[in-house]
Amino acid sequence: MQNDAGVQVDYYHPRKCTATKNLITAKDHASVQITVGLVDENGVYTGENATVALCGDLRMKAKSDGAVNRLMLEQKIMKDIQ
């Protein structure tokens, strides 16, 4: 939809769940988007962020905690504690 000035307004851009790649619909009110601040080796915030979007279905199955851990390990943001 365009306004009188010809500028695109009211544009819906759907998101995808980062863990399951499912589409997060407009009616998925249980979905969340989490932004994690990145730190250096001294624990000081670097100004960079990593964003994770989780669908409501994943959260209702109580699998979001494991999904966030897996995603942070894959992106080398979190170290494995083995």
Side-chain angles (χ1 to χ4, degrees), residues 6-7 9-10 14-15 25 27 30 32 34-37 39 41 47 50-51 54 57 61 64 70 76 78-79 81:
V7 179
V9 293
D10 198 32
R15 295 178 294 158
T25 63
K27 295 292 182 180
V32 293
I34 301 170
T35 303
V36 179
V39 296
E41 60 276 352
T51 304
L54 301 172
D57 185 48
K61 292 178 182 175
S64 58
R70 179 180 56 82
K76 307 268 191 254
M78 186 172 78
K79 292 182 181 178
I81 313 173

Side-chain angles (χ1 to χ4, degrees), residues 11-63:
Y11 180 70
Y12 173 68
H13 184 74
R15 295 178 294 158
K16 278 192 170 184
C17 178
T18 311
T20 63
K21 306 296 185 226
N22 290 339
L23 188 66
I24 298 175
T25 63
K27 295 292 182 180
D28 188 357
H29 298 296
S31 65
V32 293
Q33 182 169 323
I34 301 170
T35 303
V36 179
L38 304 180
V39 296
D40 61 8
E41 60 276 352
N42 298 321
V44 178
Y45 177 60
T46 62
E48 298 177 4
N49 300 321
T51 304
V52 177
L54 301 172
C55 62
D57 185 48
L58 187 73
R59 294 185 66 217
M60 283 188 232
K61 292 178 182 175
K63 295 186 177 188

Side-chain angles (χ1 to χ4, degrees), residues 2-8:
Q2 291 183 353
N3 63 6
D4 294 335
V7 179
Q8 188 81 11

